[in-house]
């Protein structure tokens, strides 16, 4: 047994023993992992890595996990939530980036990784690639469809401007609006560059769009404006949050970001793209002087249109008047005929007077002529003879017509039947009554008999009503006035 232990000390054995003078102690896994972690972090406490993003995912906690790779190697990366909130772009697979941070190890899986503190796109090419990728994705959703575009209001009463309140952009817009058509402008101040600029621009567009329709501060048109700059300076207007806010705005929007050569995704989402902020102001309102000139021209044309029918009517009337014959020409034949008739009348009267004068001169009134004329008149008067038979026949015819008329009158006489026992009832006005209801309305009725009249009181009239009898006394009938009887009693 002693020999075996001796051999174990020199040649190795089942139980691990540390030899005298040996300083290589056995580390635990946690100890070596911590040593490796401190070594790597001390040696690579600040590194910048360039590579292509792969496997990008954002955890519910807000942390970002990804991998950086090139054609030969790959390294895992993690970015904590506080740093991800400051990212100026949205990391996606396939983007080439430059990650700044420190290397560390993850003992739980025996691997090393980079803790990313800042992430940037690796050059303008990568930025353009991201821009094109985002544009294609949003275009596939229909955010840039031309059918979504709305016409701008012709003359907006209120214009909302989303821009920096201290830059030259807002001064250019206000100056241009004042020159063309002074309008009410409401400025929503935002950052147009840097961290948080995209969120502020999106909130401003959404704020204008969310105003009530009856709010007097709600603009009729919104201008999203920024001056020129590099693609990095304008990147806030390429962010998806800004593009969606502009596309979903209920108010027509003009995008005026950068100069004429600058193009952002906000330009595609807006209803109208203006090459510059000044051009946006020109697109927003017309020129007041031009409107005044146009109104004056329209008023002149309206007056001309109103006066044109009168002018044409006057021309037609003058043409027709010229074609009409003159008044003298119309009256001349009639006047001539009148003169001729007057002349013939004058000559006729003279001739008639001369003829009468001649006849009067030829007439001789002698006693024999007068006697002859008297005898002729007596003879003409005695010629018609009235025969007695004619006169008698006419008298007989007249007598027969008179007798017939008398017979008809007698048959229609209402008093003719009184001799047969009938009575005729009349009212106060002497009119014959034929209905009981009419008779009941009369105070006194007159009954016409064959040999005279008799007054009567209708039943129910005040005159015929018995007078009220005292209590506990027998009723007494009131006699009708002398000469009257109760007809309906």
């Amino acid at each position: 047994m002693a020999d075996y232990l001796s051999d174990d000390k020199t040649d190795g054995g089942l139980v691990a023993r540390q030899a005298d003078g040996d300083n290589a102690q056995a580390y635990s896994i946690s100890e070596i992992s911590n040593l490796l972690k401190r070594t790597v972090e001390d040696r690579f406490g600040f590194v910048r890595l360039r590579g292509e993003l792969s496997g990008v995912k954002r955890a519910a906690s807000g942390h970002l996990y990804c991998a950086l790779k090139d054609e030969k190697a790959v390294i895992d990366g993690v970015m904590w939530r506080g740093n991800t909130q400051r990212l100026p772009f949205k990391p996606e697979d396939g983007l080439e980036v430059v990650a700044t941070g420190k290397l560390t190890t993850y003992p739980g899986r025996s691997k090393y990784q980079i803790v990313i503190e800042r992430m940037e796109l690796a050059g303008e090419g990568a930025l353009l690639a991201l821009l094109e990728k985002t544009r294609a994705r949003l275009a596939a959703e229909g955010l840039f469809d031309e059918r979504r575009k709305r016409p701008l209001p012709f003359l907006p009463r209120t214009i909302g401007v989303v821009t920096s309140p201290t830059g030259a952009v807002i001064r250019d817009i206000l100056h241009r609006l004042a020159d063309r058509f002074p309008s009410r402008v409401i400025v929503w101040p935002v950052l147009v560059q840097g961290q948080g600029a995209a969120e502020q621009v999106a909130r401003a567009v959404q704020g204008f769009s969310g105003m009530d329709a009856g709010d007097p501060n709600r603009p009729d048109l919104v201008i999203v404006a920024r001056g020129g700059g590099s693609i990095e300076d304008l990147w806030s207007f390429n962010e998806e949050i800004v593009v969606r806010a502009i596309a979903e705005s209920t108010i027509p929007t003009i995008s005026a970001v950068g100069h004429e050569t600058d193009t952002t995704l906000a330009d595609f989402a807006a209803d109208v793209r203006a090459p510059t902020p000044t051009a946006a102001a020109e697109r927003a309102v017309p020129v007041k002087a031009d409107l005044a000139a146009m109104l004056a021209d329209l008023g002149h044309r309206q007056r001309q249109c109103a006066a044109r029918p009168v002018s044409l009517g006057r021309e037609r009337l003058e043409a027709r008047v010229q074609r009409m014959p003159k008044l003298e020409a119309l009256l001349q034949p009639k006047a001539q005929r009148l003169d001729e008739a007057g002349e013939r009348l004058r000559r006729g009267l003279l001739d008639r007077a001369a003829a009468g004068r001649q006849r009067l001169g030829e007439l001789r009134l002698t006693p024999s002529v007068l006697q002859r004329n008297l005898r002729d008149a007596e003879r003409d008067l005695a010629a018609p003879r009235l025969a007695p038979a004619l006169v008698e026949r006419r008298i007989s015819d007249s007598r027969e017509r008179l007798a017939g008329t008398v017979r008809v009158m007698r048959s229609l006489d209402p008093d003719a039947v009184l001799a047969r026992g009938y009575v005729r009832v009349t009212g106060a006005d002497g009119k014959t009554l034929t209905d009981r209801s009419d008779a009941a309305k009369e105070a006194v009725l007159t009954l016409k008999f064959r040999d005279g009249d008799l007054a009567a009181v209708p039943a129910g009239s005040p005159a015929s009503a018995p007078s009220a009898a005292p209590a506990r006394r027998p009723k007494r009938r009131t006699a009708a006035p002398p000469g009257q009887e109760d007809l309906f009693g």
Side-chain angles (χ1 to χ4, degrees):
M1 186 64 178
D3 295 339
Y4 176 75
L5 291 174
S6 174
D7 293 339
D8 182 66
K9 291 179 180 179
T10 57
D11 300 325
L14 294 175
V15 179
R17 290 182 175 86
Q18 185 174 356
D20 297 337
D22 188 1
N23 59 358
Q25 61 177 351
Y27 295 102
S28 65
I29 302 302
S30 299
E31 290 174 345
I32 193 64
S33 297
N34 291 331
L35 288 174
L36 289 173
K37 182 180 179 66
R38 287 194 298 268
T39 302
V40 172
E41 290 179 353
D42 292 341
R43 176 64 180 84
F44 302 100
F46 178 83
V47 294
R48 299 188 68 197
L49 302 181
R50 178 170 182 163
E52 180 182 333
L53 288 176
S54 177
V56 178
K57 63 179 180 179
R58 190 183 294 269
S61 60
H63 306 323
L64 178 69
Y65 297 93
C66 62
L68 293 172
K69 65 179 182 179
D70 57 14
E71 63 276 7
K72 295 180 180 180
V74 62
I75 182 173
D76 291 336
V78 60
M79 193 173 192
W80 308 126
R81 182 178 60 182
N83 294 326
T84 59
Q85 294 176 349
R86 295 192 294 269
L87 278 175
F89 66 96
K90 182 179 180 180
E92 295 181 359
D93 290 351
L95 289 180
E96 187 177 5
V97 298
V98 174
T100 303
K102 64 179 180 179
L103 292 182
T104 185
T105 62
Y106 183 54
R109 293 187 180 179
S110 298
K111 66 178 183 179
Y112 65 94
Q113 62 185 9
I114 178 173
V115 178
I116 303 173
E117 296 179 357
R118 187 172 69 254
M119 185 184 297
E120 301 167 323
L121 293 173
E124 189 171 332
L127 194 60
L128 293 176
L130 176 60
L131 176 63
E132 180 59 27
K133 188 175 181 179
T134 305
R135 189 198 67 79
R137 178 167 54 83
L138 297 180
E141 296 182 18
L143 297 184
F144 305 150
D145 194 346
E146 289 296 328
R147 291 175 295 183
R148 295 172 56 95
K149 309 295 184 182
R150 293 160 296 184
L152 300 181
F154 175 71
L155 190 60
R157 293 173 297 178
T158 304
I159 300 175
V161 180
V162 179
T163 188
S164 173
T166 59
V169 172
I170 186 61
R171 292 196 297 270
D172 293 342
I173 292 177
L174 295 177
H175 179 71
R176 197 58 177 164
L177 290 176
D179 288 344
R180 292 175 63 86
F181 200 103
S183 305
R184 185 186 180 203
V185 178
I186 298 178
V187 180
W188 194 304
V190 296
L191 293 175
V192 294
Q193 181 179 344
Q195 185 68 30
E199 288 76 9
Q200 291 188 18
V201 173
R203 284 196 299 269
V205 175
Q206 294 169 352
F208 277 136
S209 179
M211 290 183 177
D212 295 334
D215 192 343
N217 294 323
R218 189 178 193 270
D220 303 316
L221 178 67
V222 173
I223 300 176
V224 181
R226 188 203 187 282
S230 63
I231 187 172
E232 294 88 355
D233 297 336
L234 305 179
W235 187 256
S236 297
F237 298 91
N238 292 320
E239 293 288 349
E240 182 176 348
I241 185 175
V242 174
V243 176
R244 291 189 181 277
I246 294 176
E248 295 171 359
S249 174
T250 59
I251 303 175
T253 307
I254 298 177
S255 176
V257 180
H259 296 302
E260 295 184 6
T261 57
D262 298 326
T263 302
T264 62
L265 297 183
D267 297 335
F268 295 102
D271 297 301
V272 173
R273 175 188 179 271
T276 61
T278 303
E282 295 176 354
R283 295 293 302 271
V285 295
V287 180
K288 186 177 182 180
D290 293 346
L291 289 179
M294 182 179 66
L295 290 176
D297 180 64
L298 291 176
H300 177 67
R301 293 172 60 183
Q302 184 181 22
R303 290 190 295 271
Q304 284 186 332
C305 291
R308 184 60 179 168
V310 178
S311 177
L312 291 176
R314 184 181 293 107
E315 294 177 0
R316 296 191 186 100
L317 179 61
E318 292 176 356
R320 291 173 182 175
V321 169
Q322 291 177 359
R323 290 195 296 269
M324 291 178 63
K326 300 297 182 181
L327 181 61
E328 294 79 3
L330 292 175
L331 297 179
Q332 186 175 4
K334 304 297 182 180
Q336 185 176 357
R337 290 179 57 186
L338 179 61
D339 294 341
E340 293 178 355
E343 183 64 22
R344 288 199 302 271
L345 178 61
R346 187 181 64 80
R347 289 197 302 268
L349 291 176
L350 293 176
D351 294 344
R352 182 88 179 244
R357 188 180 297 106
Q358 183 179 359
R359 289 180 57 191
L360 182 61
E362 294 176 354
L363 183 62
R364 297 288 185 267
L365 294 178
T366 60
S368 60
V369 173
L370 295 176
Q371 290 177 356
R372 185 176 63 250
N373 291 340
L374 180 60
R375 287 194 299 272
D376 293 340
E378 291 177 351
R379 185 176 61 253
D380 294 339
L381 181 62
R385 299 294 181 183
L386 295 177
L390 295 177
V391 176
E392 292 177 355
R393 184 168 62 248
R394 294 195 63 180
I395 294 173
S396 176
D397 293 340
S398 299
R399 186 180 292 110
E400 291 179 359
R401 287 196 300 273
L402 179 60
T405 302
V406 171
R407 288 194 299 272
V408 172
M409 184 184 67
R410 288 178 179 177
S411 64
L412 297 179
D413 185 8
D415 296 333
V417 297
L418 299 181
R420 297 198 301 269
Y422 292 96
V423 176
R424 184 161 64 91
V425 182
T426 61
D429 55 354
K431 184 179 179 181
T432 302
L433 303 177
T434 60
D435 296 333
R436 187 184 187 320
S437 58
D438 295 338
K441 298 177 182 178
E442 298 288 336
V444 178
L445 301 176
T446 301
L447 305 181
K448 291 185 176 294
F449 293 91
R450 176 181 61 81
D451 55 350
D453 297 341
L454 179 63
V457 178
S461 65
S464 64
S467 58
R472 299 181 181 180
R473 292 184 180 180
K475 296 183 179 180
R476 293 181 300 175
R477 298 180 58 87
T478 303
Q484 295 185 2
E485 293 183 1
D486 190 352
L487 179 63
F488 304 106

